[in-house]
Amino acid sequence: MTIKKRIISNFSKAATTYELAADLQAKVAYDVATRLDQVDPHSVLELGCGTGLLSQYLPRLFPDANIWVTDVSQSMLSVCQQRLCQHSAIKIACLDAEDMILQQSFDLIVSSMMFHWFNDVVSSIQKMMLHLNRKGKIVFSMLGNNSLLEWKHISSQLGLPNATPIFPEIEKIKVLLPKFTFEVRSLKKTYANGHAFLKNLKSLGANTARYNSKPIKSSEMRALLRYLNQEVTMSYEVIYAEFQRR
């Protein structure tokens, strides 16, 4: 199974558990929504909607807009569709945002906490820009590579393989997407112990190890969980980005 198929599979399995585990993701989705209050689009495309943490704001913000809500996971889409059941005009479609083939363009493209799973973030975003109408706007959030530094440090201390995904580096992204404006925030979340942290990742579907990472042995995992048998705080580098076509 390719890394992309594993990512999709893990998120699909977590469709029914995602909501209860996604407090940080819910906060970031709200932050993205607050950045849309000055936009007045006729057409909106959301990519990677998941269970609808950002989607729920779109019909409130843009009641007269033509809204498309999409995700690559049909299981996640089904949960999102239930959330939006009172908004029958919203179009819901299974779509791979990384290989987007659409015959139309939009005034607004939005996404929250999904782009960091792309194989090639910059190339994918550049393709999205081709689907913007004149004066159209892209607004998104994603994790940066300074996320989960505590986990990386602990793994290094114990001599264990680091399986944390390689997320985008903000300085490189800024160079490659010079017309975007960026804001970076560091959010922290505290877990009861290491087991609670790993369980949270699995409940989110965010438990796909980095490509070609060495699998951790059962004995190593037990040692890790013994070491983390106490409260542990993890940092998440959240990148917010905006672009408006002229």
Side-chain angles (χ1 to χ4, degrees), residues 217-230:
K217 299 176 184 176
S218 298
S219 57
E220 294 173 329
M221 178 59 74
R222 287 194 294 270
L224 180 58
L225 294 179
R226 283 196 300 271
Y227 183 81
L228 290 177
N229 189 27
Q230 58 191 351

Side-chain angles (χ1 to χ4, degrees), residues 7-182:
I7 291 170
I8 296 170
S9 175
N10 285 337
F11 276 109
S12 295
K13 290 175 183 176
T16 58
T17 58
Y18 186 90
E19 288 283 311
L20 290 177
D23 50 336
L24 185 140
Q25 287 75 11
K27 172 178 171 43
V28 175
Y30 175 79
D31 288 344
V32 173
T34 62
R35 294 163 185 265
L36 305 177
D37 59 355
Q38 299 300 316
V39 187
D40 185 24
H42 295 291
S43 55
V44 181
L45 172 66
E46 182 186 1
L47 300 171
C49 65
T51 60
L53 294 178
L54 175 59
S55 316
Q56 63 185 326
Y57 298 109
L58 299 181
R60 304 179 206 172
L61 290 166
F62 315 118
D64 300 320
N66 180 20
I67 300 173
W68 286 67
V69 171
T70 70
D71 198 281
V72 72
S73 165
Q74 187 60 57
S75 299
M76 286 283 189
L77 274 178
S78 296
V79 177
C80 183
Q81 189 167 23
Q82 293 174 19
R83 183 192 289 274
L84 300 175
C85 62
Q86 295 182 344
H87 304 283
S88 57
I90 293 179
K91 299 176 180 65
I92 297 178
C94 193
L95 174 71
D96 184 350
E98 200 169 8
D99 190 22
M100 201 163 63
I101 301 176
L102 292 172
Q103 300 303 314
Q104 65 187 98
S105 54
F106 298 86
D107 298 322
L108 176 64
I109 298 176
V110 296
S111 182
S112 185
M113 297 289 271
M114 186 273 288
F115 287 3
H116 50 263
W117 294 109
F118 285 162
N119 289 321
D120 188 333
V121 175
V122 172
S123 176
S124 297
I125 293 173
Q126 289 170 337
K127 290 177 187 176
M128 291 170 201
M129 294 166 69
L130 300 176
H131 290 279
L132 279 181
N133 291 326
R134 184 172 175 269
K135 295 188 177 180
K137 192 168 188 177
I138 295 177
V139 181
F140 69 86
S141 65
M142 65 179 178
L143 290 181
N145 201 44
N146 287 320
S147 299
L148 302 176
L149 291 180
E150 298 88 349
W151 184 258
K152 298 172 187 177
H153 178 67
I154 292 166
S155 298
S156 177
Q157 275 190 320
L158 298 179
L160 301 178
N162 177 21
T164 306
I166 301 174
F167 295 138
E169 294 182 38
I170 181 58
E171 295 307 322
K172 291 182 179 179
I173 295 293
K174 284 181 177 179
V175 171
L176 295 171
L177 296 173
K179 294 183 179 180
F180 277 73
T181 58
F182 295 94

